[in-house]
Amino acid sequence: MRRVSLRLGRAGAALTAVALALVPGTAFAQRGGGSSQGSTTDTGGGREGTSLVSRVVYSGATAGTQGGGGGDGGGLQPVGDWTPPACWYEPRSAAEFRDYVETMYDDTVNTPGQHSYAKSAVGMFRNEYKDGTYENYNLDKKDEGNWWVAVRDEDRSMEPEAQACDRKPFWVENGDPVPVENAITPEVLAELAYSRVELPATEVTLRPEGNTKVNLPTWAWLDKARFKETSVTAAIAVGGLNIQATTTAQPVSLKLEPGTPDAETYPASGECAIDDDGSIGEPYARGKADRTPPCGLKYLRSSGDGTFELRATVTWDITWTGTGGTGGDLPDGTFGNEQAVTVQEIQAINR
């Protein structure tokens, strides 16, 4: 579950630490689940209770929509140092921003036993937008622009990247550029969708299944019906902004790691490329016993009383398209699982 909350920036360290913590009923932007059906998972939100949450809505292959795998599916792990945004900026109407600040103020000052520094901090923040730098939350300009506020991915709230969006809510006139990095755009939406892509469990089919034998080639393949193009769409419609982006993951290869150095892989690199028909590897069939598997492995010693942990990792090529003809590539992603393999000695009887 991903909790996304409003960050108030440098309105004083006490305000950021205290005001957010004191707002009751902090809303959650769920990753999957909820009341969604099939592949139309809605994980966005607006104003829920007394908290502003992200207005980005996700649909497609998000958590809970892949089925199967016993819950072993998971998200993309980017190749390299890149990660999706941990925080970003979204627009809010003047009325919505006013309601949030006023409710937060009332809740803070009216909470029994509340510390005076918390009341002071939230009061200073309120005054800036009500009677200070701005007047009455710019309600008289409600049709001329929007407030822009920072939200963050609470699953990554302790990462330095989540603290980067530290600017206080600011006003932007319609048509003017938003003067911050990570202001919501089709590309940012595509990057957010990247982190919501849910992939099927990477459990390869092996032949022989169950137990394999020392020095016996074992065939490996993936079900092409499950390992196919997968996509998530992220969209936002708020404050006159109506944009979306679709991030698509396409499987390109399967990496086999036997779980012991006493093994060989086919091909020798352990990297099985995707075939023209979308399959990875080739199913074993009667009559292929003397052939070398196009994708597989051979164990050179027994696993004894235990097992070897075979790790199968699929690499996915990631592209995106968005509003206004935008689009491009995002870093490749991987996802893998481990499965136990028992390797036995071939027993021979001498007479």
Side-chain angles (χ1 to χ4, degrees), residues 7-22:
R7 284 180 55 81
L8 302 178
R10 294 191 182 98
L15 178 61
T16 301
V18 176
L20 288 178
L22 295 176

Side-chain angles (χ1 to χ4, degrees), residues 84-159:
C87 67
W88 58 98
Y89 294 88
E90 300 178 7
R92 294 292 184 270
S93 70
E96 185 177 14
F97 182 60
R98 177 214 44 206
D99 291 348
Y100 171 75
V101 175
E102 289 296 322
T103 302
M104 178 181 65
Y105 174 79
D106 290 342
D107 288 344
T108 303
V109 299
N110 293 322
T111 297
Q114 186 63 267
H115 290 290
S116 59
Y117 68 81
K119 296 180 181 180
S120 176
V122 75
M124 290 171 59
F125 181 82
R126 174 181 182 249
N127 289 341
E128 178 171 358
Y129 294 95
K130 187 175 186 296
D131 301 307
T133 305
Y134 304 95
E135 184 176 344
N136 197 26
Y137 305 103
N138 279 357
L139 285 171
D140 59 336
K141 300 179 180 180
K142 64 180 181 180
D143 297 325
E144 301 175 20
N146 291 280
W147 292 103
W148 281 74
V149 300
V151 295
R152 67 179 176 184
D153 186 336
E154 286 296 329
D155 282 353
R156 300 173 58 191
S157 62
M158 300 306 295
E159 298 179 18

Side-chain angles (χ1 to χ4, degrees), residues 31-43 58-68 196 198 230-232:
R31 184 181 182 189
S35 59
S36 62
Q37 299 291 329
S39 61
T40 57
T41 302
D42 181 338
T43 58
Y58 302 91
S59 61
T62 58
T65 63
Q66 284 295 335
R196 268 70 177 179
E198 183 80 359
T230 301
S231 64
V232 168

